[in-house]
Amino acid sequence: MIIEKHLIPELGMIPLKDLKPKHIRDYYDKALESGRKDGKTKALGVGLSPTTVSQHHRVLREALQHALELEMIPRNPADAVKPPRKVKHEIKFLPVADANKIIDLFKGIYMYMPVFLAVTTGARRAEILGLTWNDVDLKKGIIHIRRGLYVTKEEGVFFKEPKNKTSQRSVAISPNVVKTLKAYKTEQKKKKLAFGEGHEDKDIVCCLQDGRPIIPATVTKRFQETTENAGYKVTFHQLRHAHASFLLQQGEHPKVVSERLGHSNISITMDLYSHIAPNLQKEAADRLDDILFKK
């Protein structure tokens, strides 16, 4: 998509031997100012984010590096251009009370379990929608995250294992989560029987009333509409951040949180939730005070 929709239209007419750092820098400036090309009316004329343009830089530099190795160019012009600096967005903290109220907004409809699991497990949207009951061990209180559910025009709805091995993981769940899942499974079976022969039994945990999987984009849209109508400014993905924030604030070790989220290394977790660090540092200092100077 980056190559076909952005790089080729903007730089593709320039012969490889004539491509200069200035061409690349001018392209980045233009992309930041008016680079959106997703076809949405509201997006026309809107610039791409520094993070996105940095991705374009990586793709372009890698392609030119191959040309350099093949001795098609004397140097890589992308090396002389600094990509836009990524803008680091501080993750907004969601109070526990609000998280509970948001879960309650979806009780009784197909959106309830995806929202509930996002808050209680920190799993990604695709991972939650890709769960089957075979992945849920209610006796041991463990959810095995093995795949995600995705949708493309070419392939339709399909399951795919993650490229990152750390994304395949086992997440422990609390007794209350086990209890909720048991009740939900029982209710799901009742709905299946009531629906009749037209039910598609795919053993999916989060599904529509007829058993079909829930489209990821539908989850995002429905969640946004419902929460906005209730006066909340929160995205579905922020529920994953809320899960991590709740655990860190309760003193859980960052390594454990990192493993639950499926991050490839702990530094990603610490970088994402650095806004919580000052409070944790203060609590650690207070505990040390109690140990050293307790009378």
Side-chain angles (χ1 to χ4, degrees), residues 172-209:
I173 52 177
S174 70
N176 279 325
V177 174
V178 171
K179 181 180 178 181
T180 300
L181 280 167
K182 283 181 177 178
Y184 179 81
K185 187 176 184 180
T186 301
E187 189 63 27
Q188 194 179 69
K189 288 180 179 178
K190 290 179 181 178
K191 289 180 179 179
K192 176 186 172 182
L193 291 172
F195 198 88
E197 294 182 0
H199 190 278
E200 296 184 20
D201 190 4
K202 298 182 182 296
D203 198 39
I204 299 173
V205 175
C206 301
C207 62
L208 299 174
Q209 190 174 357

Short mmCIF file of all heavy atoms in Angstrom, two decimals, residues 172-209:
data_model
loop_
_atom_site.label_atom_id
_atom_site.label_comp_id
_atom_site.label_asym_id
_atom_site.label_seq_id
_atom_site.Cartn_x
_atom_site.Cartn_y
_atom_site.Cartn_z
N ALA A 172 -3.60 -15.79 32.30
CA ALA A 172 -4.39 -16.24 33.45
C ALA A 172 -5.57 -15.31 33.66
O ALA A 172 -5.46 -14.09 33.47
CB ALA A 172 -3.51 -16.27 34.70
N ILE A 173 -6.70 -15.87 34.01
CA ILE A 173 -7.90 -15.06 34.27
C ILE A 173 -8.39 -15.32 35.69
O ILE A 173 -8.20 -16.40 36.25
CB ILE A 173 -9.03 -15.35 33.26
CG1 ILE A 173 -9.31 -16.85 33.16
CG2 ILE A 173 -8.66 -14.80 31.89
CD1 ILE A 173 -10.46 -17.21 32.23
N SER A 174 -9.01 -14.32 36.28
CA SER A 174 -9.45 -14.38 37.67
C SER A 174 -10.71 -15.24 37.82
O SER A 174 -11.40 -15.52 36.84
CB SER A 174 -9.73 -12.97 38.17
OG SER A 174 -10.91 -12.47 37.54
N PRO A 175 -11.03 -15.66 39.05
CA PRO A 175 -12.25 -16.44 39.29
C PRO A 175 -13.51 -15.73 38.80
O PRO A 175 -14.44 -16.38 38.29
CB PRO A 175 -12.26 -16.59 40.82
CG PRO A 175 -10.81 -16.57 41.19
CD PRO A 175 -10.19 -15.57 40.26
N ASN A 176 -13.56 -14.39 38.94
CA ASN A 176 -14.75 -13.66 38.49
C ASN A 176 -14.87 -13.69 36.97
O ASN A 176 -15.98 -13.75 36.43
CB ASN A 176 -14.69 -12.21 38.98
CG ASN A 176 -15.15 -12.06 40.41
OD1 ASN A 176 -16.06 -12.77 40.85
ND2 ASN A 176 -14.51 -11.18 41.15
N VAL A 177 -13.73 -13.64 36.27
CA VAL A 177 -13.75 -13.72 34.81
C VAL A 177 -14.19 -15.13 34.38
O VAL A 177 -14.97 -15.29 33.45
CB VAL A 177 -12.37 -13.38 34.21
CG1 VAL A 177 -12.37 -13.60 32.70
CG2 VAL A 177 -12.00 -11.93 34.53
N VAL A 178 -13.69 -16.15 35.08
CA VAL A 178 -14.09 -17.54 34.80
C VAL A 178 -15.60 -17.69 34.99
O VAL A 178 -16.29 -18.28 34.16
CB VAL A 178 -13.34 -18.53 35.72
CG1 VAL A 178 -13.94 -19.93 35.59
CG2 VAL A 178 -11.86 -18.55 35.38
N LYS A 179 -16.11 -17.14 36.08
CA LYS A 179 -17.54 -17.21 36.38
C LYS A 179 -18.37 -16.55 35.29
O LYS A 179 -19.39 -17.08 34.84
CB LYS A 179 -17.81 -16.54 37.73
CG LYS A 179 -19.26 -16.58 38.17
CD LYS A 179 -19.41 -15.88 39.52
CE LYS A 179 -20.88 -15.87 39.95
NZ LYS A 179 -21.05 -15.16 41.26
N THR A 180 -17.90 -15.38 34.83
CA THR A 180 -18.62 -14.65 33.77
C THR A 180 -18.61 -15.44 32.46
O THR A 180 -19.61 -15.52 31.76
CB THR A 180 -17.99 -13.26 33.56
OG1 THR A 180 -18.05 -12.53 34.78
CG2 THR A 180 -18.73 -12.49 32.47
N LEU A 181 -17.46 -16.03 32.14
CA LEU A 181 -17.33 -16.80 30.90
C LEU A 181 -18.20 -18.06 30.94
O LEU A 181 -18.80 -18.45 29.93
CB LEU A 181 -15.87 -17.18 30.66
CG LEU A 181 -14.99 -16.08 30.05
CD1 LEU A 181 -13.52 -16.45 30.16
CD2 LEU A 181 -15.36 -15.85 28.59
N LYS A 182 -18.28 -18.71 32.10
CA LYS A 182 -19.13 -19.90 32.24
C LYS A 182 -20.59 -19.55 31.99
O LYS A 182 -21.30 -20.26 31.26
CB LYS A 182 -18.97 -20.51 33.64
CG LYS A 182 -17.69 -21.29 33.83
CD LYS A 182 -17.64 -21.89 35.25
CE LYS A 182 -16.38 -22.75 35.43
NZ LYS A 182 -16.29 -23.30 36.81
N ALA A 183 -21.04 -18.46 32.60
CA ALA A 183 -22.43 -18.02 32.42
C ALA A 183 -22.69 -17.63 30.97
O ALA A 183 -23.74 -17.94 30.41
CB ALA A 183 -22.72 -16.84 33.35
N TYR A 184 -21.72 -16.99 30.37
CA TYR A 184 -21.84 -16.55 28.97
C TYR A 184 -21.91 -17.76 28.04
O TYR A 184 -22.71 -17.78 27.09
CB TYR A 184 -20.64 -15.68 28.61
CG TYR A 184 -20.63 -15.17 27.19
CD1 TYR A 184 -21.39 -14.06 26.82
CD2 TYR A 184 -19.87 -15.81 26.21
CE1 TYR A 184 -21.37 -13.60 25.51
CE2 TYR A 184 -19.85 -15.36 24.91
CZ TYR A 184 -20.60 -14.25 24.56
OH TYR A 184 -20.59 -13.80 23.27
N LYS A 185 -21.10 -18.77 28.31
CA LYS A 185 -21.08 -19.98 27.48
C LYS A 185 -22.42 -20.71 27.56
O LYS A 185 -22.95 -21.19 26.54
CB LYS A 185 -19.95 -20.91 27.92
CG LYS A 185 -19.75 -22.10 27.01
CD LYS A 185 -18.54 -22.93 27.44
CE LYS A 185 -18.29 -24.07 26.45
NZ LYS A 185 -17.11 -24.89 26.86
N THR A 186 -22.97 -20.79 28.77
CA THR A 186 -24.28 -21.43 28.96
C THR A 186 -25.36 -20.68 28.19
O THR A 186 -26.21 -21.29 27.52
CB THR A 186 -24.65 -21.47 30.46
OG1 THR A 186 -23.65 -22.21 31.17
CG2 THR A 186 -26.02 -22.12 30.67
N GLU A 187 -25.35 -19.36 28.27
CA GLU A 187 -26.33 -18.53 27.57
C GLU A 187 -26.15 -18.66 26.06
O GLU A 187 -27.14 -18.68 25.31
CB GLU A 187 -26.16 -17.08 28.00
CG GLU A 187 -27.25 -16.14 27.51
CD GLU A 187 -28.63 -16.48 28.04
OE1 GLU A 187 -28.71 -17.07 29.15
OE2 GLU A 187 -29.62 -16.18 27.35
N GLN A 188 -24.91 -18.77 25.62
CA GLN A 188 -24.63 -18.91 24.19
C GLN A 188 -25.21 -20.22 23.64
O GLN A 188 -25.75 -20.26 22.53
CB GLN A 188 -23.12 -18.86 23.96
CG GLN A 188 -22.72 -18.66 22.50
CD GLN A 188 -21.21 -18.59 22.32
OE1 GLN A 188 -20.52 -19.61 22.50
NE2 GLN A 188 -20.69 -17.43 21.98
N LYS A 189 -25.11 -21.28 24.43
CA LYS A 189 -25.67 -22.57 24.03
C LYS A 189 -27.20 -22.49 23.90
O LYS A 189 -27.78 -23.07 22.98
CB LYS A 189 -25.28 -23.65 25.03
CG LYS A 189 -23.82 -24.06 24.97
CD LYS A 189 -23.51 -25.14 26.00
CE LYS A 189 -22.05 -25.57 25.92
NZ LYS A 189 -21.73 -26.60 26.95
N LYS A 190 -27.83 -21.78 24.82
CA LYS A 190 -29.28 -21.62 24.78
C LYS A 190 -29.70 -20.87 23.52
O LYS A 190 -30.68 -21.22 22.85
CB LYS A 190 -29.76 -20.86 26.02
CG LYS A 190 -29.66 -21.64 27.32
CD LYS A 190 -30.14 -20.80 28.48
CE LYS A 190 -30.02 -21.56 29.79
NZ LYS A 190 -30.44 -20.71 30.96
N LYS A 191 -28.95 -19.81 23.19
CA LYS A 191 -29.26 -19.02 22.00
C LYS A 191 -29.06 -19.84 20.72
O LYS A 191 -29.81 -19.68 19.75
CB LYS A 191 -28.39 -17.76 21.96
CG LYS A 191 -28.77 -16.73 23.01
CD LYS A 191 -27.87 -15.50 22.92
CE LYS A 191 -28.26 -14.47 23.96
NZ LYS A 191 -27.39 -13.26 23.90
N LYS A 192 -28.07 -20.72 20.75
CA LYS A 192 -27.81 -21.58 19.60
C LYS A 192 -28.99 -22.51 19.35
O LYS A 192 -29.44 -22.68 18.21
CB LYS A 192 -26.53 -22.38 19.85
CG LYS A 192 -26.22 -23.39 18.75
CD LYS A 192 -25.02 -24.25 19.12
CE LYS A 192 -24.83 -25.37 18.12
NZ LYS A 192 -23.68 -26.26 18.49
N LEU A 193 -29.50 -23.11 20.41
CA LEU A 193 -30.65 -24.01 20.28
C LEU A 193 -31.89 -23.26 19.82
O LEU A 193 -32.67 -23.75 19.00
CB LEU A 193 -30.92 -24.70 21.62
CG LEU A 193 -29.87 -25.72 22.09
CD1 LEU A 193 -30.17 -26.18 23.51
CD2 LEU A 193 -29.83 -26.91 21.13
N ALA A 194 -32.06 -22.05 20.36
CA ALA A 194 -33.24 -21.24 20.00
C ALA A 194 -33.17 -20.78 18.55
O ALA A 194 -34.21 -20.66 17.88
CB ALA A 194 -33.33 -20.03 20.93
N PHE A 195 -31.95 -20.57 18.05
CA PHE A 195 -31.80 -20.07 16.68
C PHE A 195 -32.14 -21.14 15.65
O PHE A 195 -32.71 -20.86 14.60
CB PHE A 195 -30.35 -19.59 16.45
CG PHE A 195 -30.20 -18.70 15.25
CD1 PHE A 195 -30.38 -17.33 15.36
CD2 PHE A 195 -29.92 -19.24 14.01
CE1 PHE A 195 -30.27 -16.51 14.26
CE2 PHE A 195 -29.79 -18.43 12.89
CZ PHE A 195 -29.97 -17.06 13.01
N GLY A 196 -31.77 -22.39 15.96
CA GLY A 196 -32.14 -23.48 15.05
C GLY A 196 -31.07 -23.85 14.05
O GLY A 196 -29.88 -23.62 14.26
N GLU A 197 -31.51 -24.39 12.91
CA GLU A 197 -30.60 -24.96 11.92
C GLU A 197 -29.70 -23.92 11.24
O GLU A 197 -28.62 -24.26 10.77
CB GLU A 197 -31.40 -25.70 10.84
CG GLU A 197 -32.13 -26.93 11.37
CD GLU A 197 -32.87 -27.66 10.27
OE1 GLU A 197 -32.81 -27.19 9.10
OE2 GLU A 197 -33.50 -28.69 10.55
N GLY A 198 -30.11 -22.71 11.18
CA GLY A 198 -29.33 -21.69 10.49
C GLY A 198 -28.09 -21.23 11.25
O GLY A 198 -27.30 -20.44 10.74
N HIS A 199 -27.92 -21.74 12.47
CA HIS A 199 -26.78 -21.32 13.29
C HIS A 199 -25.48 -21.91 12.75
O HIS A 199 -25.39 -23.09 12.46
CB HIS A 199 -26.99 -21.76 14.73
CG HIS A 199 -26.00 -21.20 15.70
ND1 HIS A 199 -24.74 -21.74 15.89
CD2 HIS A 199 -26.08 -20.13 16.51
CE1 HIS A 199 -24.10 -21.04 16.80
NE2 HIS A 199 -24.88 -20.05 17.20
N GLU A 200 -24.46 -21.06 12.61
CA GLU A 200 -23.14 -21.51 12.16
C GLU A 200 -22.28 -21.81 13.38
O GLU A 200 -21.80 -20.90 14.04
CB GLU A 200 -22.47 -20.44 11.29
CG GLU A 200 -23.20 -20.15 9.99
CD GLU A 200 -22.43 -19.15 9.13
OE1 GLU A 200 -21.20 -18.98 9.36
OE2 GLU A 200 -23.06 -18.53 8.26
N ASP A 201 -22.10 -23.08 13.66
CA ASP A 201 -21.35 -23.47 14.85
C ASP A 201 -19.85 -23.51 14.55
O ASP A 201 -19.33 -24.49 14.06
CB ASP A 201 -21.82 -24.84 15.34
CG ASP A 201 -21.25 -25.17 16.71
OD1 ASP A 201 -20.56 -24.30 17.29
OD2 ASP A 201 -21.49 -26.28 17.21
N LYS A 202 -19.17 -22.40 14.82
CA LYS A 202 -17.73 -22.31 14.61
C LYS A 202 -16.96 -22.32 15.92
O LYS A 202 -15.76 -22.10 15.94
CB LYS A 202 -17.41 -21.04 13.81
CG LYS A 202 -18.03 -21.01 12.42
CD LYS A 202 -17.64 -19.75 11.66
CE LYS A 202 -18.29 -19.70 10.29
NZ LYS A 202 -17.82 -20.77 9.41
N ASP A 203 -17.68 -22.52 17.05
CA ASP A 203 -17.07 -22.61 18.37
C ASP A 203 -16.38 -21.30 18.78
O ASP A 203 -15.48 -21.30 19.63
CB ASP A 203 -16.06 -23.77 18.42
CG ASP A 203 -15.73 -24.19 19.84
OD1 ASP A 203 -16.64 -24.21 20.68
OD2 ASP A 203 -14.55 -24.47 20.12
N ILE A 204 -16.78 -20.18 18.17
CA ILE A 204 -16.16 -18.89 18.48
C ILE A 204 -16.74 -18.32 19.77
O ILE A 204 -17.95 -18.35 19.99
CB ILE A 204 -16.38 -17.90 17.32
CG1 ILE A 204 -15.74 -18.44 16.03
CG2 ILE A 204 -15.80 -16.54 17.64
CD1 ILE A 204 -16.04 -17.62 14.81
N VAL A 205 -15.88 -17.80 20.62
CA VAL A 205 -16.33 -17.22 21.88
C VAL A 205 -17.16 -15.95 21.63
O VAL A 205 -18.26 -15.82 22.13
CB VAL A 205 -15.13 -16.89 22.80
CG1 VAL A 205 -15.61 -16.17 24.07
CG2 VAL A 205 -14.37 -18.16 23.16
N CYS A 206 -16.60 -15.03 20.86
CA CYS A 206 -17.29 -13.77 20.57
C CYS A 206 -17.89 -13.85 19.16
O CYS A 206 -17.15 -13.74 18.17
CB CYS A 206 -16.33 -12.59 20.67
SG CYS A 206 -15.57 -12.42 22.29
N CYS A 207 -19.18 -14.07 19.08
CA CYS A 207 -19.82 -14.23 17.78
C CYS A 207 -21.18 -13.55 17.76
O CYS A 207 -21.69 -13.11 18.79
CB CYS A 207 -19.96 -15.70 17.42
SG CYS A 207 -21.01 -16.63 18.57
N LEU A 208 -21.76 -13.49 16.57
CA LEU A 208 -23.12 -12.96 16.43
C LEU A 208 -24.12 -14.02 16.87
O LEU A 208 -23.75 -15.17 17.11
CB LEU A 208 -23.36 -12.54 14.98
CG LEU A 208 -22.43 -11.46 14.43
CD1 LEU A 208 -22.68 -11.24 12.95
CD2 LEU A 208 -22.60 -10.15 15.20
N GLN A 209 -25.38 -13.66 16.92
CA GLN A 209 -26.41 -14.59 17.41
C GLN A 209 -26.51 -15.85 16.55
O GLN A 209 -26.83 -16.92 17.05
CB GLN A 209 -27.77 -13.89 17.44
CG GLN A 209 -28.85 -14.69 18.16
CD GLN A 209 -30.14 -13.92 18.30
OE1 GLN A 209 -30.22 -12.77 17.91
NE2 GLN A 209 -31.15 -14.54 18.86
#
